[in-house]
Amino acid sequence: MKSETRKEEIINTASKLFKEKGYSAVTMRDLATAMGIKAASLYNHINSKQDILKGIIISIAEEFTSGMNTIIHSEVSNIDKLKKIVSLHVNITSLNANGMASLNNDWMHLEDQLDYYLQLRNEYETNFLNIIKEGVLSSEIKNSNPEIIMFSMLSTLRSLYLWIPKKEDLNSNDLAMSLSEVLIEGINS
């Protein structure tokens, strides 16, 4: 396993602090203290706290977009596509729970990247909704309000970052299968 670069260490420490305190409450001095270095030393590796936030949120949003693009182009049933979406959320969250906290709680602080982030999020949600609608049309999913189905699933999936870190013996595949069973069984036709 390759060792973490100083910049990656800064980003990981910052994402942990952002999760604990919220982006607005964390200062560069807080970050430096958590890393055991002087605040001025941070600027050898990063430009600003805003750049850290952009790096965290945009990289995760792009990872979700890439995963969704793979899912929507897969030749599987709509139910299987939804299972893949559940797995995508579990995998990304289990690898970066702190970053997911920023994605969910601090996205509005993105400044010059806010429009790009909102575009990615809207496209993701549109694709998610279309899978559900296609599932309803093909009678794979019971005829219920697709937006409520998506909202219910996303509410659970987006809050995984709160739950996953508490589970030390977590198996991502088992969790994805169990979540799929719980979230999708109720809409399966």
Side-chain angles (χ1 to χ4, degrees):
M1 186 172 163
K2 82 174 182 128
S3 63
E4 190 174 57
T5 66
R6 191 62 156 170
K7 183 174 181 176
E8 290 167 339
E9 184 183 356
I10 292 167
I11 290 169
N12 290 334
T13 302
S15 66
K16 183 178 182 208
L17 290 173
F18 295 165
K19 180 181 179 188
E20 292 169 359
K21 297 180 170 188
Y23 172 78
S24 296
V26 175
T27 66
M28 293 298 275
R29 187 176 309 275
D30 294 332
L31 179 55
T33 300
M35 296 195 60
I37 61 175
K38 294 184 188 300
S41 299
L42 290 172
Y43 294 103
N44 292 328
H45 305 281
I46 55 142
N47 294 323
S48 66
K49 185 173 87 163
Q50 178 62 207
D51 280 352
I52 295 170
L53 185 70
K54 282 188 258 186
I56 294 167
I57 292 176
I58 298 300
S59 67
I60 294 173
E62 288 175 341
E63 191 174 353
F64 274 113
T65 299
S66 175
M68 179 61 85
N69 286 334
T70 300
I71 291 167
I72 62 174
H73 292 104
S74 62
E75 296 292 327
V76 297
S77 70
N78 292 296
I79 290 293
D80 285 338
K81 287 179 181 180
L82 291 176
K83 288 178 182 178
K84 288 177 181 277
I85 290 171
V86 170
S87 290
L88 178 67
H89 277 264
V90 168
N91 291 333
I92 290 173
T93 304
S94 63
L95 293 173
N96 194 353
N98 293 330
M100 285 299 296
S102 290
L103 180 86
N104 287 307
N105 302 325
D106 298 317
W107 60 266
M108 71 288 300
H109 300 292
L110 280 173
E111 296 176 2
D112 64 328
Q113 290 286 308
L114 182 59
D115 288 341
Y116 176 60
Y117 167 73
L118 290 174
Q119 174 192 342
L120 292 175
R121 186 176 77 181
N122 290 337
E123 287 174 11
Y124 185 88
E125 289 177 1
T126 297
N127 287 325
F128 198 142
L129 189 58
N130 286 338
I131 291 168
I132 295 168
K133 287 178 178 178
E134 289 170 16
V136 170
L137 286 174
S138 67
S139 298
E140 290 176 70
I141 297 171
K142 68 178 165 184
N143 192 4
S144 190
N145 185 322
E147 289 182 0
I148 292 173
I149 293 170
M150 182 182 73
F151 172 76
S152 298
M153 290 183 74
L154 273 177
S155 295
T156 298
L157 296 172
R158 285 180 172 157
S159 63
L160 285 172
Y161 76 93
L162 296 168
W163 188 74
I164 284 178
K166 298 174 185 172
K167 304 297 173 197
E168 293 176 18
D169 60 346
L170 176 75
N171 178 305
S172 295
N173 292 331
D174 290 346
L175 176 59
M177 285 178 24
S178 295
L179 269 174
S180 289
E181 190 176 302
V182 169
L183 293 173
I184 297 170
E185 194 60 37
I187 60 171
N188 204 347
S189 195

